[in-house]
Amino acid sequence: MTPTADQRRSRPTIRDVAALSGASLKTVSRVVNGEPGVSDDLAERVRAAIAQLGYRHNLSASNLRRSNGKTASIGLLVGNIANPFSAAVHRAVEDVARRHGVAVLAGSLDEDHERERELVAAFSLRRVDGLIVMPAIGDQSYLADERRAGTAMVFVDRPPTFFDADTVLADNREGAATATAHLADHGHRRIAYLGDLQLISTAAERFQGYTDIVIRRGLDEHPDLVVHDLHDVDLAESATHALMQLADPPTALFCSQNLVTIGAIRSLRRLGLNRETALVGFDDFPLADLLEPAVTVVAQFPAEIGRIAAEELFRRLGGDTTPTRRHIVPTALIERGSGEIAPLG
Amino acid sequence: MTPTADQRRSRPTIRDVAALSGASLKTVSRVVNGEPGVSDDLAERVRAAIAQLGYRHNLSASNLRRSNGKTASIGLLVGNIANPFSAAVHRAVEDVARRHGVAVLAGSLDEDHERERELVAAFSLRRVDGLIVMPAIGDQSYLADERRAGTAMVFVDRPPTFFDADTVLADNREGAATATAHLADHGHRRIAYLGDLQLISTAAERFQGYTDIVIRRGLDEHPDLVVHDLHDVDLAESATHALMQLADPPTALFCSQNLVTIGAIRSLRRLGLNRETALVGFDDFPLADLLEPAVTVVAQFPAEIGRIAAEELFRRLGGDTTPTRRHIVPTALIERGSGEIAPLG
DNA sequence: CTGAAAGCGCTTACAG
DNA sequence: CTGAAAGCGCTTACAG
């Protein structure tokens, strides 16, 4: 006896289903794809064979011949999958993709341009229909080939460099201005800026927003009050420590990013200054309301950013060829206490 | 003039590369796959053509004919991609997969068994080589077909039900016992248990660990001290509130899960009891050290769990057919303050 | 309503 | 070292 499909370890194919049900390949294909024009009787026999064999359609093989060639999968490139902002974007993208029957491949860039190119290549090899990219520092002109091949693309959180594509951004400059103005409104004139790598566009935008208010309100300007390139908690903590040792220390801090905010809080705690130094952070974080004082932040809405980006991508995949768009998602100031501390004296 | 490959919008194929370089399909295939036996000269011409055309290998087509049939992609199913525990597992899996040149498809289950089946089907359709699953409540016997078809599988965080497969778990029972014993060591006899859905195996294990110590140490046993089925922050908060209104309230709380811990803390804060009620949480969380009091926890190591699971999966994909294994990853008590509060009086 | 032949982009199994 | 033919699992484009 020759082995039948379900005795072998390999997967049953459409051929096995055809043999068992006594239908042709094409008829099985029709049933599997829900195409009309198969008698109820035959369709039922085919379905029974599918169930009996545990047949599972091969999407890749199907796509190879199919004219539209969609793989029903998209790629998502974020800073770091384990980071709450990226994770919230990811979840929102997943939810939209799911409604479209599309699977999501995801990868972390760790601010590494080489890694970005590798991941794009890896996803391209797998013929993703589209890409949602939170780009690393570096330019995106290399994506031209990819787009020419028909891959849809949307950028999130940061705009692409030397490349034009749909982009969904938080209102970084405005949000930072709001944070800084809020501190000024509470009487602060020496407001420090603690920011991430200057090469990151969001950091640059947030610094602009801070500067806008410093100039407009005539606040104290001093090079010591501005610290850039704080990319992790430890750097932020020591920078804050140094800042508070100045002869004339700031009375308020604007922290342009999550990890910076946490580093600054650690430092203020250690110095016992957390109840007298005002602080506003850019980007909300879990438990910000349970710290003492609770932390005032400019919240971004990563889930909203992810959702819009995914919808934009599917609009493009649906054939929309209108000019490139840029969505700006507003931020919101959440007053919790740390930003409402008045300057001493 | 007929359009050439790079003028059309579609992707160039191996055929276009062959035509441009003057080599045969097979030779181009050899170069693309790094197979030996191509003269330097020809290989160089092929590479030049690839670069000029922006040719990108089609992994699906390649796999269709290839004997091993590997898609170099795996699927990861977690509770919720946006949850820190799941996200940490995901990142660890990504890092291992990356070293193997494998891409990761990920999806969230939201404790929904139907969703689990849908995602497995969606990933199966895409012929993932393996699956790493943090299963939802419900049984996993439906995976038998999938495994017969050759898909490797590893379970994380929770064991599969009615299905045997490699599994990587935290030491839930032991960790919960350690937490409870720690509270007893600090003089507590009325220790409440606040837990997640009893149907979740980790919750059941943790309750066992709590019970082990209650019995061994002869601690107070009262039905009011045990609250199950707290699946979110709000439920945990109100359950804690009710607990503290008892005629004889607990002097210490063991919170068997992250969100429960946070809900309990919110409640204690609101009641002004956070500095006099001892609390140990299962599973660490960001900023636990910055709360007041800082939160003592039994830490799990999700990155470690994810890494071991991924390595296990690749071991199986590499052909290992030894019997199913179960890895237990130890937990660690981190004393930060909340767990070291002595009972009043 | 049903199916036989050709072909998607690639690799296998050969032959030179 | 190099390549022509057949075939992977499916769909397209036809024909009945």
Side-chain angles (χ1 to χ4, degrees):
Chain A
M1 234 181 107
T2 54
T4 60
D6 51 348
Q7 288 172 322
R8 275 182 275 112
R9 206 183 96 96
S10 68
R11 289 179 176 277
T13 71
I14 202 170
R15 207 186 189 87
D16 300 310
V17 176
L20 183 62
S21 62
S24 71
L25 294 188
K26 179 58 201 167
T27 297
V28 176
S29 173
R30 284 194 181 97
V31 173
V32 167
N33 290 294
E35 289 169 24
V38 181
S39 66
D40 291 353
D41 183 48
L42 228 197
E44 206 34 70
R45 259 162 49 219
V46 168
R47 268 189 283 271
I50 286 174
Q52 186 183 329
L53 294 172
Y55 169 75
R56 198 78 73 142
H57 200 53
N58 185 331
L59 196 62
S60 307
S62 161
N63 273 323
L64 195 55
R65 188 65 177 90
R66 223 178 249 290
S67 43
N68 77 18
K70 296 282 178 68
T71 56
S73 58
I74 60 173
L76 172 68
L77 280 61
V78 296
N80 179 171
I81 273 177
N83 160 112
F85 182 88
S86 296
V89 169
H90 189 173
R91 183 45 139 107
V93 168
E94 179 194 358
D95 289 342
V96 176
R98 179 189 181 184
R99 289 204 306 272
H100 290 265
V102 163
V104 181
L105 284 163
S108 305
L109 301 183
D110 296 331
E111 212 59 85
D112 177 351
H113 186 255
E114 222 10 78
R115 174 82 179 126
E116 180 182 319
R117 299 195 61 152
E118 286 169 15
L119 270 173
V120 166
F123 290 172
S124 170
L125 223 54
R126 291 166 179 81
R127 294 296 187 269
V128 293
D129 301 327
L131 244 19
I132 294 181
V133 185
M134 189 181 293
I137 294 171
D139 83 280
Q140 278 67 48
S141 55
Y142 71 95
L143 286 171
D145 277 357
E146 210 47 44
R147 170 143 61 193
R148 202 174 312 118
T151 307
M153 291 173 203
V154 176
F155 286 78
V156 288
D157 187 49
R158 308 171 180 181
T161 305
F162 297 141
F163 189 71
D164 180 50
D166 295 316
T167 304
V168 184
L169 303 172
D171 197 349
N172 291 295
R173 186 165 176 173
E174 185 62 27
T178 300
T180 311
H182 182 71
L183 291 167
D185 288 344
H186 283 269
H188 296 278
R189 302 198 53 81
R190 285 183 73 71
I191 304 174
Y193 169 88
L194 292 158
D196 202 338
L197 300 175
Q198 285 186 268
L199 284 172
I200 298 175
S201 66
T202 50
E205 286 289 314
R206 291 170 198 172
F207 181 56
Q208 264 304 332
Y210 162 84
T211 305
D212 291 345
I213 299 299
V214 168
I215 291 171
R216 194 178 309 156
R217 303 279 183 103
L219 304 178
D220 288 6
E221 292 183 60
H222 192 286
D224 286 348
L225 292 177
V226 173
V227 191
H228 290 291
D229 302 328
L230 304 173
H231 198 56
D232 63 43
V233 173
D234 290 343
L235 283 173
E237 182 169 352
S238 50
T240 305
H241 190 86
L243 214 45
M244 302 315 287
Q245 310 303 318
L246 292 176
D248 204 3
T251 61
L253 310 179
F254 169 53
C255 302
S256 103
Q257 186 249 78
N258 229 319
L259 301 178
V260 173
T261 304
I262 292 167
I265 291 171
R266 279 196 206 289
S267 171
L268 293 181
R269 282 285 189 97
R270 189 159 297 178
L271 295 168
L273 295 171
N274 54 313
R275 294 181 189 280
E276 57 195 65
T277 306
L279 183 153
V280 178
F282 198 106
D283 195 16
D284 200 8
F285 56 95
L287 305 194
D289 59 322
L290 284 183
L291 298 185
E292 296 178 11
V295 185
T296 295
V297 299
V298 172
Q300 310 189 72
F301 298 97
E304 185 68 2
I305 290 173
R307 183 185 63 75
I308 295 172
E311 282 172 355
E312 194 77 359
L313 190 75
F314 284 104
R315 211 169 45 73
R316 294 296 185 187
L317 288 173
D320 184 329
T321 56
T322 54
T324 281
R325 301 205 226 169
R326 174 172 292 212
H327 292 261
I328 305 292
V329 178
T331 57
L333 181 76
I334 303 179
E335 303 186 25
R336 293 198 179 109
S338 74
E340 295 71 46
I341 296 173
L344 284 182
Chain B
M1 235 181 105
T2 54
T4 60
D6 51 348
Q7 288 172 324
R8 276 181 276 111
R9 207 183 97 95
S10 68
R11 288 178 178 277
T13 72
I14 202 170
R15 208 186 189 86
D16 300 309
V17 176
L20 182 63
S21 63
S24 71
L25 294 187
K26 178 58 198 167
T27 297
V28 175
S29 173
R30 286 195 179 96
V31 172
V32 167
N33 291 295
E35 289 169 23
V38 181
S39 66
D40 291 354
D41 184 46
L42 227 195
E44 206 34 69
R45 261 163 46 221
V46 169
R47 268 187 283 271
I50 287 174
Q52 185 182 329
L53 294 171
Y55 168 74
R56 197 80 73 145
H57 200 55
N58 184 331
L59 197 61
S60 308
S62 160
N63 271 323
L64 195 55
R65 188 64 176 91
R66 222 179 250 292
S67 43
N68 77 16
K70 295 282 179 70
T71 56
S73 57
I74 60 174
L76 173 68
L77 280 63
V78 296
N80 179 171
I81 272 177
N83 160 111
F85 183 88
S86 296
V89 169
H90 189 173
R91 183 46 140 107
V93 169
E94 179 194 359
D95 290 342
V96 175
R98 180 189 180 186
R99 289 205 305 273
H100 290 264
V102 163
V104 181
L105 283 162
S108 304
L109 302 183
D110 295 332
E111 212 59 83
D112 177 351
H113 186 254
E114 222 9 79
R115 174 80 179 127
E116 180 183 319
R117 298 195 62 150
E118 286 168 17
L119 270 173
V120 166
F123 290 171
S124 170
L125 225 52
R126 290 167 180 81
R127 295 294 188 270
V128 294
D129 301 327
L131 242 22
I132 295 179
V133 185
M134 189 181 294
I137 294 170
D139 84 281
Q140 278 67 49
S141 56
Y142 71 93
L143 286 171
D145 278 356
E146 210 46 45
R147 169 143 61 194
R148 201 174 314 116
T151 307
M153 291 174 202
V154 176
F155 287 78
V156 287
D157 187 49
R158 307 171 180 183
T161 305
F162 297 141
F163 189 72
D164 179 50
D166 295 315
T167 305
V168 184
L169 304 172
D171 197 348
N172 291 294
R173 186 165 176 172
E174 184 62 29
T178 301
T180 311
H182 182 71
L183 290 166
D185 288 343
H186 283 269
H188 297 278
R189 302 196 55 81
R190 284 183 74 72
I191 304 174
Y193 169 88
L194 292 159
D196 203 337
L197 301 175
Q198 284 185 270
L199 284 173
I200 299 175
S201 66
T202 51
E205 286 288 314
R206 291 170 198 171
F207 180 56
Q208 264 305 333
Y210 162 83
T211 305
D212 291 345
I213 299 301
V214 168
I215 291 171
R216 192 177 312 156
R217 303 280 184 102
L219 304 179
D220 288 6
E221 290 182 61
H222 193 284
D224 287 347
L225 291 178
V226 173
V227 190
H228 290 291
D229 301 327
L230 305 172
H231 198 56
D232 62 43
V233 173
D234 290 344
L235 283 173
E237 183 170 351
S238 50
T240 304
H241 189 87
L243 214 45
M244 302 315 288
Q245 309 303 316
L246 292 176
D248 204 3
T251 61
L253 310 178
F254 168 54
C255 302
S256 105
Q257 187 247 78
N258 228 319
L259 301 177
V260 173
T261 305
I262 292 167
I265 291 171
R266 279 195 207 291
S267 170
L268 293 181
R269 282 286 189 96
R270 188 159 298 177
L271 295 167
L273 295 171
N274 55 313
R275 291 179 191 283
E276 57 197 65
T277 307
L279 183 153
V280 178
F282 199 106
D283 194 16
D284 201 7
F285 56 95
L287 305 193
D289 59 323
L290 284 183
L291 298 184
E292 295 178 12
V295 184
T296 294
V297 299
V298 172
Q300 310 189 72
F301 298 96
E304 185 68 2
I305 290 173
R307 182 185 63 75
I308 294 172
E311 281 171 357
E312 194 77 357
L313 190 75
F314 284 104
R315 211 168 46 72
R316 293 296 185 188
L317 288 173
D320 184 329
T321 55
T322 54
T324 282
R325 299 206 227 171
R326 174 172 292 212
H327 293 260
I328 306 292
V329 178
T331 57
L333 181 76
I334 305 179
E335 304 186 23
R336 293 198 180 109
S338 74
E340 295 71 45
I341 295 173
L344 283 181

